[in-house]
């Protein structure tokens, strides 16, 4: 049995660094391949569009083209008639070649198909493209965000951030909240009480953080505050990594009432004095309620000196009762998407 040669002292650290460099090189290579593939598909789509317009190409020509390309490149997937039509739709949806090269080519092809299939507006597509690149969403997460109408809900909570926070923090804080929040992954009925909702959110904290959005880190639930010997408990406490501040979330199972903000403000003061570090920004409060009168909420916030927001939550989508019980879970959606991707030869 050969003798074991003693390794240099710095060998483990060097090996770790080397593996990291190899992994980074593999990632860069994969991104480069994806970029070239997306650009190739866009160029093919543009050619098809041009010939259809100028020469009146029909579906039969595309079917023949698919057959010829597959014969010429038998080891290369993606030349089915269906995918060629997607290439044409891709080029038609994105006529700006510079934007395709600089931005869209960073996203995998399956992301492009999700954007084409599920969105009709270029403005919405551009918004989801930007968010996907910013947060590195997988295709499944992108699809879920589209289907839960994130674009329509983002930045719509009623807040006083513009008057209580400096720019650009006020804009970022406003965009970090949405209205309504969807808690349909909890499997609760509309009759659920505050503590029941809170318990379920903690059990499903991964989905809850995904719904809250990028930047939120979970700190704790029923966080104890000792104020002058009296004990108080915060429903949910988070820290926002981009805003660099604590976020207190209070749940109310009924309709919003102005007095709710008094309790929330008390918690913000306590967190600022007992928990917040000197380098943290002022703590933000978010009151989640089952329903609210918008005018009442705006009035209630107008004289509050602390940064707060008010938003509704939905335990189930507003669907007919006979359909609510058959709402798919996130797991079911992901499995269906994976099954669809597996069947496609795009």
């Amino acid at each position: 049995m050969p003798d074991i040669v003693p390794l240099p002292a710095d060998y483990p650290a060097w090996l770790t660094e080397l593996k990291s460099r190899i992994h980074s090189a593999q990632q860069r290579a994969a991104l480069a391949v994806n970029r070239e593939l997306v650009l190739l598909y866009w160029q093919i789509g543009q050619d098809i569009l041009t010939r259809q317009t100028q020469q009146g190409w029909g579906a039969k020509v595309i079917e023949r083209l698919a057959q010829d390309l597959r014969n010429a490149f038998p080891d290369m997937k993606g030349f089915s008639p269906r995918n060629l039509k997607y290439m044409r739709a891709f080029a038609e949806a994105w006529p700006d070649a510079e934007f395709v090269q600089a931005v869209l080519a960073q996203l995998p092809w399956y992301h492009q198909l999700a954007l084409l299939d599920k969105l009709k507006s270029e403005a919405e597509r551009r918004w989801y493209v930007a968010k996907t690149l910013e947060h590195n969403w997988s295709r499944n997460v992108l699809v879920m965000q589209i289907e839960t109408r994130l674009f329509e809900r983002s930045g719509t909570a009623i807040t006083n951030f513009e008057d209580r926070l400096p720019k650009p923090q006020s804009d970022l804080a406003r965009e970090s909240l949405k209205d309504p929040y969807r808690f349909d992954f909890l499997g609760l009925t509309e009759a659920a009480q505050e503590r029941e909702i809170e318990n379920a959110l903690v059990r499903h904290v991964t989905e809850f953080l995904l719904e809250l959005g990028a930047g939120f880190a979970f700190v704790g639930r029923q966080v104890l505050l000792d104020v002058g010997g009296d004990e108080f408990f915060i429903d949910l406490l988070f820290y926002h990594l981009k805003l660099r501040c604590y976020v207190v979330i209070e749940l109310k199972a009924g309709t919003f009432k102005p007095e709710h903000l008094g309790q929330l403000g008390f918690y913000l003061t306590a967190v600022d004095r007992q928990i917040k570090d000197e380098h943290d920004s002022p703590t933000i409060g978010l009151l989640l309620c089952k329903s609210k009168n918008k005018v009442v909420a705006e009035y209630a916030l107008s004289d509050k000196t602390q940064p707060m927001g008010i938003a509704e939550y939905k335990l189930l989508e507003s669907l007919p009762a006979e359909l609510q019980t058959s709402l798919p879970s996130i797991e079911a959606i992901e499995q269906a998407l994976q099954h669809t991707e597996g069947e496609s030869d795009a």
Side-chain angles (χ1 to χ4, degrees):
M1 188 172 180
D3 295 334
I4 298 177
V5 179
L7 297 174
D10 65 344
Y11 179 82
W14 174 75
L15 178 61
T16 299
E17 180 189 353
L18 184 59
K19 289 191 290 187
S20 177
R21 292 208 304 262
I22 292 172
H23 181 64
S24 296
Q26 290 175 325
Q27 287 184 318
R28 290 195 299 272
L31 290 172
V33 169
N34 174 77
R35 173 182 173 80
E36 292 303 319
L37 184 67
V38 170
L39 292 178
L40 172 65
Y41 284 179
W42 185 83
Q43 291 163 356
I44 293 174
Q46 281 285 5
D47 287 348
I48 293 174
L49 273 176
T50 300
R51 281 162 173 75
Q52 283 186 325
T53 302
Q54 296 178 356
Q55 303 175 20
W57 273 24
K60 293 294 184 183
V61 179
I62 291 180
E63 291 178 6
R64 173 60 186 270
L65 176 63
Q67 179 181 335
D68 289 340
L69 288 176
R70 284 187 289 192
N71 290 338
F73 304 97
D75 297 328
M76 187 173 179
K77 294 182 178 181
F79 291 134
S80 66
R82 180 171 177 264
N83 209 40
L84 288 176
K85 291 175 183 176
Y86 268 125
M87 295 177 203
R88 178 190 62 194
F90 180 53
E92 188 173 27
W94 303 106
D96 185 348
E98 185 176 342
F99 182 76
V100 173
Q101 292 175 1
V103 180
L104 282 182
Q106 299 178 64
L107 293 179
W109 182 240
Y110 279 120
H111 283 65
Q112 313 288 357
L113 300 188
L115 293 166
L116 289 174
D117 281 340
K118 297 187 173 296
L119 298 168
K120 304 301 179 186
S121 160
E122 181 178 342
E124 286 188 84
R125 287 193 186 118
R126 282 179 176 265
W127 189 88
Y128 281 104
V129 167
K131 292 298 181 183
T132 301
L133 292 173
E134 179 183 357
H135 304 308
N136 195 29
W137 286 342
S138 68
R139 180 185 183 275
N140 288 347
V141 171
L142 169 61
V143 169
M144 189 189 70
Q145 301 289 25
I146 293 173
E147 291 183 343
T148 59
R149 304 189 302 278
L150 181 62
F151 175 75
E152 301 170 27
R153 298 186 292 130
S154 292
T156 56
I158 299 173
T159 74
N160 61 2
F161 295 160
E162 186 174 356
D163 299 322
R164 302 295 179 258
L165 295 173
K167 286 185 176 295
Q169 189 186 26
S170 59
D171 294 333
L172 179 56
R174 180 175 52 81
E175 287 301 318
S176 297
L177 303 186
K178 60 189 72 166
D179 188 24
Y181 284 84
R182 289 170 45 103
F183 296 160
D184 51 350
F185 56 84
L186 300 180
L188 300 177
T189 67
E190 289 296 320
Q193 297 301 304
E194 292 163 17
R195 187 56 60 88
E196 187 180 359
I197 297 170
E198 179 189 320
N199 291 339
L201 287 175
V202 174
R203 287 198 305 271
H204 298 81
V205 69
T206 300
E207 292 91 340
F208 185 28
L209 286 169
L210 184 60
E211 174 62 9
L212 285 176
F216 282 89
F218 181 59
V219 177
R221 58 166 296 203
Q222 291 298 305
V223 177
L224 171 64
L225 297 171
D226 186 319
V227 181
D230 290 343
E231 293 185 345
F232 301 88
F233 296 88
I234 297 174
D235 285 349
L236 297 162
L237 183 63
F238 293 82
Y239 190 86
H240 199 285
L241 301 176
K242 290 186 177 180
L243 293 169
R244 296 197 174 278
C245 69
Y246 285 96
V247 181
V248 173
I249 296 182
E250 282 294 296
L251 290 166
K252 298 299 177 185
T255 301
F256 167 74
K257 296 178 181 179
E259 52 264 34
H260 293 158
L261 295 184
Q263 180 186 32
L264 181 59
F266 174 80
Y267 290 154
L268 297 187
T269 299
V271 171
D272 279 341
R273 294 186 181 182
Q274 297 185 9
I275 301 177
K276 182 177 87 71
D277 186 85
E278 60 179 328
H279 302 295
D280 292 329
S281 298
T283 303
I284 289 173
L286 172 60
L287 188 90
L288 289 176
C289 52
K290 188 174 180 180
S291 62
K292 67 180 183 303
N293 180 308
K294 182 178 179 181
V295 177
V296 172
E298 290 174 346
Y299 275 36
L301 281 173
S302 63
D303 65 347
K304 295 295 180 289
T305 58
Q306 297 161 298
M308 301 179 184
I310 304 167
E312 296 178 359
Y313 64 82
K314 302 295 182 186
L315 293 175
L316 290 173
E317 269 297 287
S318 298
L319 295 176
E322 64 272 15
L323 296 180
Q324 289 184 351
T325 56
S326 61
L327 282 172
S329 64
I330 291 177
E331 291 78 8
I333 293 173
E334 288 182 346
Q335 290 175 2
L337 288 170
Q338 291 168 357
H339 179 69
T340 301
E341 289 182 8
E343 289 184 341
S344 172
D345 64 351

